[in-house]
Amino acid sequence: MPIDDLFGTTVQLLGKNLDLRARSHNQISANIANAETPGYTPSVLSFEKELRDAVGKRGKTIGTPALTHPGHIRLTGQAAGIDAVRGRVVEMPDATSGLDGNGVELENEMGRMMENQIMYNATLQFIGKKFEGLKAAMKGDR
Amino acid sequence: MDFFSAMDISSSALTAERTRMNLISSNLANANATRTAEGGPYKRKDSVFAAVPLPESFRSVLSRMEQAPRKVEVNQIVEDQNPPRLQYDPTHPDANPQGYVALPNVNVIEEMADMISASRAYEANVTAVQAAKNMALKTLELGR
């Protein structure tokens, strides 16, 4: 069994999720920081759909081209799809911007931040459990 | 994955909000000051915030062709150019020949409302820093 399969997609997917959630937190922090800046439009990092699509496509890697020449570059089909997910920064005004043109609604941003944090912690727990399981299998006791 | 830029962003906002709070305190403290170094009554001061990009390395700019999160800074401190409040008080040493004293154009109620807004914004940013800190610390616990 190749060592890559030991961790499989789970660790790759959860790791990517942590990465994207951390970047999402940066974006939300920026929105909160600019809650009083005239003319500022809040933006969010949108990656959920892209990540879901990348996971969905991973199963169908039948289309992977064969390496028939040493000079060929490995094209892993969509297997590398999860790593390639970067998310998109989309402008998303929370409120119709007032006189100062600021579109930040502090409550929405705080809510978004809490949600993001909970999802981050959940992902962290999943990844922790995965490693715990692997450790238990290695020890083989109890 | 960089929690430090999240903290960078939030702390820039903390600095900006604190500057704003300082200006509000100054306005409140000088609400009745009729003499200043420039002459005339004190003029209300206000801050202008601006969103500025984080300092980034060339490589990270290249690798990320997208809108990066921006921090905030106090771009300018402006003086309110509204006319001073005139109050009839002929006994005041700064009264004009008609007996009116030019008092600062500070509206105390407005300043108090501004103060609440600044302190709430400050708290929101403190929460954001705490969230980033907790996320980073929890990540360090991974695999314990």
Side-chain angles (χ1 to χ4, degrees):
Chain A
M1 171 167 107
I3 198 76
D4 279 358
D5 287 358
L6 182 59
F7 300 111
T9 341
T10 319
V11 173
Q12 196 191 8
L13 172 64
L14 293 177
K16 191 72 197 176
N17 198 8
L18 286 182
D19 184 23
L20 290 165
R21 293 246 170 243
R23 281 183 49 211
S24 181
H25 183 78
N26 284 353
Q27 205 66 50
I28 298 167
S29 296
N31 293 344
I32 295 174
N34 284 293
E36 313 252 349
T37 308
Y40 181 86
T41 311
S43 41
V44 292
L45 186 73
S46 162
F47 61 87
E48 286 90 349
K49 193 182 176 299
E50 203 184 330
L51 196 58
R52 203 181 305 130
D53 287 352
V55 176
K57 277 176 195 158
R58 202 200 177 263
K60 314 174 214 134
T61 47
I62 325 136
T64 309
L67 303 178
T68 53
H69 186 274
H72 280 169
I73 296 170
R74 181 183 286 277
L75 291 175
T76 37
Q78 263 82 28
I82 294 176
D83 269 340
V85 174
R86 305 195 50 75
R88 261 177 333 109
V89 178
V90 280
E91 288 205 334
M92 204 155 102
D94 289 330
T96 44
S97 39
L99 286 175
D100 62 352
N102 185 297
V104 182
E105 191 104 57
L106 204 52
E107 293 81 8
N108 283 353
E109 295 301 330
M110 297 306 277
R112 219 176 268 164
M113 188 176 74
M114 288 305 140
E115 183 199 330
N116 190 56
Q117 204 188 352
I118 288 168
M119 292 304 282
Y120 185 91
N121 288 344
T123 311
L124 214 49
Q125 273 189 20
F126 280 131
I127 227 172
K129 289 286 172 204
K130 170 81 181 175
F131 287 143
E132 259 175 46
L134 283 173
K135 267 187 196 165
M138 285 171 193
K139 277 187 196 161
D141 56 0
R142 284 180 288 274
Chain B
M1 193 149 94
D2 46 348
F3 285 113
F4 294 110
S5 60
M7 293 184 187
D8 222 16
I9 292 166
S10 295
S11 52
S12 78
L14 293 180
T15 313
E17 294 297 343
R18 204 160 39 77
T19 309
R20 183 163 159 225
M21 195 65 113
N22 285 348
L23 290 175
I24 294 168
S25 303
S26 161
N27 290 343
L28 282 173
N30 288 296
N32 287 308
T34 53
R35 290 173 192 177
T36 53
E38 308 90 60
Y42 174 87
K43 278 184 178 149
R44 178 177 169 270
K45 286 174 182 50
D46 205 356
S47 52
V48 180
F49 284 12
V52 287
L54 281 175
E56 272 186 304
S57 68
F58 185 59
R59 197 170 138 241
S60 67
V61 173
L62 269 188
S63 69
R64 171 155 29 121
M65 302 289 277
E66 65 187 33
Q67 199 196 347
R70 287 174 293 168
K71 60 178 189 177
V72 65
E73 66 169 21
V74 175
N75 193 261
Q76 202 189 354
I77 292 170
V78 289
E79 279 190 342
D80 193 335
Q81 293 303 326
N82 280 329
R85 269 184 298 139
L86 289 177
Q87 197 177 42
Y88 187 68
D89 185 4
T91 57
H92 196 286
D94 291 326
N96 64 10
Q98 286 77 42
Y100 284 96
V101 189
L103 289 171
N105 53 1
V106 176
N107 182 347
V108 176
I109 297 162
E110 208 175 280
E111 296 302 324
M112 294 304 282
D114 232 17
M115 189 176 79
I116 293 168
S117 154
S119 103
R120 289 290 169 272
Y122 192 90
E123 281 169 23
N125 282 294
V126 169
T127 311
V129 174
Q130 271 169 353
K133 192 188 79 179
N134 286 338
M135 281 158 83
L137 286 180
K138 279 229 170 91
T139 315
L140 289 178
E141 299 269 306
L142 188 65
R144 279 277 159 85

